[in-house]
């Protein structure tokens, strides 16, 4: 017949609890989450009571690339070319653009860059690159045929 001494029983139970505890700690320690936390970048955003977040990419302060023809049109050309001010051919006015298109797209680029009668050089967008102006012309032509 097997008899348990209380002390032996206690140490058996305590041993099981202790080893379970150790297993749990080990599991937590090596979980993906805790590793990610430990190797996360310095400077990550931590708010009390919330998990730390990875650093947020900073919003671009300056334009990163050339503006699209559509953007340049909206910002610099639409004032005249959507209203027909000063006799500007309107975007979408196929009849107004057809004879201009016949002059050849290179001529239209040149006139947009250098100015042409009531058309101011670069549409007065002095910080526009030549390519941005050409893209704006292309945007107008594409929407006027
Ligand atoms: C202040 C008004 C005004 C602004 C701003 C303006 N234009 Fe014009 N644009 C005109 C006028 C007026 C004409 C017609 C000129 C003519 O045929 O005598 C014209 C004509 C043109 C033509 C046809 C040129 C040709 O040879 O027939 C192009 C291309 C053009 N503009 C592009 C642009 C672009 C691109 C922008 C913006 C970057 C722009 N324009 C901004 C007034 C403007």
């Amino acid at each position: 017949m097997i008899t348990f001494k209380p002390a032996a029983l206690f140490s058996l139970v305590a041993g099981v609890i202790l080893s379970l505890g150790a297993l749990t700690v080990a599991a937590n320690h090596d979980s993906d989450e805790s590793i990610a936390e430990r190797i996360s970048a310095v400077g990550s955003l931590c708010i009390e009571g919330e998990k730390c977040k990875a650093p947020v990419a900073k919003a671009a302060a300056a334009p990163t690339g050339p503006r699209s023809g559509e953007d340049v049109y909206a910002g610099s050309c639409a004032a005249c070319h959507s209203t027909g001010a000063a006799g500007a051919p309107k975007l979408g006015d196929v009849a107004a653009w057809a004879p201009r298109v016949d002059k050849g797209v290179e001529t239209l680029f040149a006139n947009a860059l250098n100015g042409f009668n009531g058309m101011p050089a670069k549409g007065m967008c002095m910080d526009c690159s030549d390519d941005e102006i050409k893209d704006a012309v292309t945007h107008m032509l594409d929407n006027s045929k």
Side-chain angles (χ1 to χ4, degrees), residues 42-120:
V42 176
S44 57
L45 178 66
C46 297
I47 298 168
E48 202 179 325
E50 282 181 29
K51 281 195 162 288
C52 291
K53 295 188 180 102
V56 183
K58 276 194 188 148
T64 47
R67 287 160 285 196
S68 71
E70 193 176 354
D71 287 348
V72 172
Y73 170 80
S76 304
C77 321
C80 297
H81 285 276
S82 69
T83 60
K90 287 208 252 181
L91 182 139
D93 186 340
V94 179
W97 279 102
R100 298 177 191 271
V101 171
D102 289 345
K103 295 193 272 186
V105 74
E106 289 304 324
T107 303
L108 298 184
F109 285 160
N111 288 346
L113 288 170
N114 305 321
F116 177 68
N117 299 329
M119 165 68 204

